[in-house]
Amino acid sequence: GTPESDTVCKRCPEGFFSNETSSKAACLKHTNCSALGFKIALKGNAVRDNICQENTDTAPQKCGIDVTLCEEALFRFAVPSQLTPNWLNILADSLPGTKVSTENIERIKQRHSSQEQTFQLLKLWKQQNKEQDMVKKIIQDIDLCENSVLKNIGHPNLTFEHLNTLMASLPGKKVGKEDIERTMKLCQPTEQVLKLLNLWRIKNGDQDTIKGLMYGLKHLKTYHFPKRTIQSLKKVIKFLHRFTMYRLYQKLFLEMIENQVKSVKVRCV
């Protein structure tokens, strides 16, 4: 636009999208789900990115949780309280194994807030390096953590109405009744709450699941919701904020930072 004429808009071309109101921001390319080892769950359009999910075409249908609560808590724990302008690039260079490409780093920067970028980078790095020994050890520790979560959250006997009430209590976009019915068919009773929380995070642009759950628990008190389940969810939140996450964080990141400092010293010498 100019002082004499308004901005002229046009739709993003095929394969690109824009989800913000801006006269300057360029259209973003749709995420290549297959390149990340996933398939397209919902095809993108001019205003929405592709939504990816686990590829189950060649395998029996299963519950499928792309990021566990422990994994998400660990990755979010890694976000510094004060971010330097070049933090994401420094972290990407420090991570061992196959590097996240510059193109993917820039895509993460364009699509996500500064607090969300670290989580997205680590999620992609783990997917690319799942055969690396160090990543396998991290996955083992996350599995141990997740077993502890299941002890609190994994008891069955939640009805459709219970699950629907739990999802309705969360902020943002809601997980629909069809998703809940599908989850109850595909997932074991011990996995259903975890899967629905996973769906909520995806529907809300990778929002922080623990914060969403904390918000929901405040509102569940007004419903006839099982007290035992509310207490169990509170225990899970406390557990994920405890020493366990700090120990996993130390094992993964402090070692990398130390290696990065040594590398910088060598280059300086």
Side-chain angles (χ1 to χ4, degrees):
T2 69
E4 292 80 28
S5 62
D6 194 6
T7 301
V8 177
C9 303
K10 67 176 182 179
R11 292 178 69 82
C12 291
E14 183 70 24
F16 291 80
F17 78 102
S18 175
N19 58 0
E20 58 179 313
T21 303
S22 171
S23 61
K24 297 179 180 179
C27 294
L28 302 174
K29 191 174 183 180
H30 286 152
T31 298
N32 187 341
C33 294
S34 60
L36 301 177
F38 299 114
K39 70 175 183 178
I40 295 178
L42 183 63
K43 185 175 175 57
N45 54 29
V47 296
R48 183 186 66 235
D49 193 10
N50 289 333
I51 295 178
C52 306
Q53 71 177 29
E54 185 179 5
N55 193 342
T56 56
D57 290 340
T58 58
Q61 280 194 318
K62 56 183 180 179
C63 193
I65 297 173
D66 72 328
V67 176
T68 67
L69 287 180
C70 288
E71 187 176 22
E72 182 182 350
L74 168 64
F75 288 172
R76 293 196 189 283
F77 197 86
V79 180
S81 56
Q82 291 186 338
L83 293 169
T84 58
N86 207 30
W87 159 250
L88 203 67
N89 295 84
I90 292 173
L91 177 60
D93 288 340
S94 303
L95 294 170
T98 303
K99 303 296 183 185
V100 177
S101 69
T102 303
E103 179 183 356
N104 281 329
I105 292 173
E106 291 306 312
R107 183 183 290 117
I108 289 170
K109 287 180 179 179
Q110 290 174 348
R111 295 180 182 178
H112 302 283
S113 67
S114 57
Q115 290 296 316
E116 186 71 13
Q117 290 170 7
T118 300
F119 173 65
Q120 295 297 327
L121 174 68
L122 293 170
K123 189 170 72 168
L124 182 55
W125 167 78
K126 175 179 170 289
Q127 175 64 27
Q128 291 182 180
N129 290 278
K130 56 187 176 183
E131 298 303 320
Q132 296 283 339
D133 288 341
M134 184 177 185
V135 177
K136 287 180 180 178
K137 290 178 182 177
I138 294 168
I139 292 173
Q140 288 175 356
D141 280 343
I142 289 174
D143 287 343
L144 289 173
C145 171
E146 200 64 25
N147 288 335
S148 297
V149 169
L150 282 173
K151 288 179 182 178
N152 288 310
I153 206 175
H155 54 80
N157 302 326
L158 288 181
T159 64
F160 172 84
E161 287 73 20
H162 288 146
L163 294 173
N164 189 45
T165 299
L166 176 60
M167 290 299 101
S169 73
L170 301 181
K173 297 179 181 178
K174 306 301 180 185
V175 175
K177 293 183 178 180
E178 290 183 1
D179 290 321
I180 297 173
E181 290 173 350
R182 189 181 304 111
T183 297
M184 295 185 75
K185 289 179 181 178
L186 294 179
C187 300
Q188 297 294 324
T190 54
E191 299 176 305
Q192 290 171 3
V193 172
L194 296 173
K195 176 62 176 180
L196 290 172
L197 289 174
N198 187 243
L199 289 175
W200 175 85
R201 178 182 57 79
I202 295 172
K203 280 183 177 288
N204 286 277
D206 290 309
Q207 290 298 309
D208 191 323
T209 308
I210 299 301
K211 288 183 179 179
L213 191 54
M214 291 171 67
Y215 175 93
L217 287 176
K218 294 178 182 178
H219 295 78
L220 278 179
K221 295 177 181 178
T222 60
Y223 298 95
H224 298 292
F225 200 81
K227 290 184 179 179
R228 182 189 172 194
T229 303
I230 292 178
Q231 292 171 349
S232 297
L233 291 171
K234 287 181 178 178
K235 287 180 180 178
V236 167
I237 291 172
K238 288 181 180 179
F239 174 77
L240 293 175
H241 284 157
R242 267 178 17 190
F243 177 74
T244 307
M245 284 300 103
Y246 182 69
R247 182 176 60 81
L248 287 174
Y249 167 76
Q250 278 189 317
K251 180 179 289 189
L252 174 59
F253 296 103
L254 296 190
E255 181 180 334
M256 293 180 189
I257 292 170
E258 183 181 348
N259 290 339
Q260 177 70 7
V261 170
K262 288 179 180 177
S263 175
V264 170
K265 286 181 179 178
V266 169
R267 288 200 299 270
C268 289
V269 171

